[in-house]
Amino acid sequence: MSNAAFVTCDLLDDNPEKEIQVMTPSIDGKFFKSYGARKSFAGQVVTVKCFEDNSRVKELLATDGTGKVLVVDGGASMRCALMGDMIAESAVKNHWNGVVIYGCIRDVDAIAELDLGVHALAAIPQKSNRKGIGEVDLTLYFGGVSIHSGDYLYADNNGIVIAKEKLVDL
C-alpha cells in the first residue's frame, strides 16, 4: 500500500504561519473512522454535496482522480451508504488518493483491502437510491471547517486537516 509521507500533527507543528483547519473529531457524537487500507492519504479536494443519493459520488470516482481526494457532504445521514466496494474499486482504478464521507459507507471488509484512504462516520448495509441528485464544487461546512474544491486535505489516524495550499509533495 502506498501511503503519503506526512503526519498531520507534524504538518500543524511545522506550518504555524499557514492557514490550516483541523476537523473536529466528533460531530454530533459521531466520529470519523478510517476504513480503507491507506491509513494516511492526502490530495487536492473535490467536493460533492448529496443526501442519501450517491449518483454524483459514483460519477466523480469514475473519473481521473490522480492526486485528489473526494470530500462528500452526505448530511451525516445514518440511513444509507454513499459508497460501497464497487464504487471504491472504481476510485482505486481511477487513481483517487482517498474519500472522506460525512455519512456512511458499506462493504467495509472489502474496502479495508483496497489501496484507498477512506474516512466516514459509520457503516450500514443499506445502499442509497440513485436519482441523479447532488451538487459538485460547493463549499462544504462540517466538522468545524469549511472545505472548498481546490483545497488540500491531509488525513491519518490522528485526524483530518484542510489547507489552502499544498504542504508536502504528494
Side-chain angles (χ1 to χ4, degrees), residues 33-53:
K33 298 176 194 149
S34 177
Y35 290 98
R38 282 192 193 186
K39 295 307 174 193
S40 64
F41 61 97
Q44 193 165 31
V45 169
V46 175
T47 64
V48 61
K49 185 171 185 163
C50 54
F51 185 75
E52 298 183 357
D53 182 337

Side-chain angles (χ1 to χ4, degrees), residues 22-34:
V22 179
M23 193 171 289
T24 306
S26 172
I27 302 167
D28 299 329
K30 301 172 192 88
F31 292 84
F32 277 97
K33 298 176 194 149
S34 177

Side-chain angles (χ1 to χ4, degrees), residues 153-168:
L153 181 143
Y154 300 87
D156 63 10
N157 287 331
N158 294 298
I160 301 170
V161 299
I162 307 291
K164 293 292 177 197
E165 58 189 275
K166 189 173 3 175
L167 302 175
V168 296

Side-chain angles (χ1 to χ4, degrees), residues 27-28 32 72-77 82 100-104 121 141-143:
I27 302 167
D28 299 329
F32 277 97
V72 181
D73 182 350
S77 172
L82 294 176
V100 174
I101 298 179
Y102 183 48
C104 294
L121 295 179
Y141 303 95
F142 60 84

Side-chain angles (χ1 to χ4, degrees), residues 19 24 28 36-37 63 84 90 121 126 135 142 146:
E19 185 180 339
T24 306
D28 299 329
T63 65
S90 175
L121 295 179
Q126 181 65 48
E135 297 178 81
F142 60 84
S146 60

Side-chain angles (χ1 to χ4, degrees), residues 45-49 56 60 68-71 96 134-140 147-150:
V45 169
V46 175
T47 64
V48 61
K49 185 171 185 163
R56 298 290 172 259
L60 287 165
K68 296 178 184 174
V69 173
L70 184 64
V71 179
W96 287 83
E135 297 178 81
V136 178
D137 293 331
L138 295 179
T139 300
L140 306 180
I147 308 161
H148 306 84
S149 285

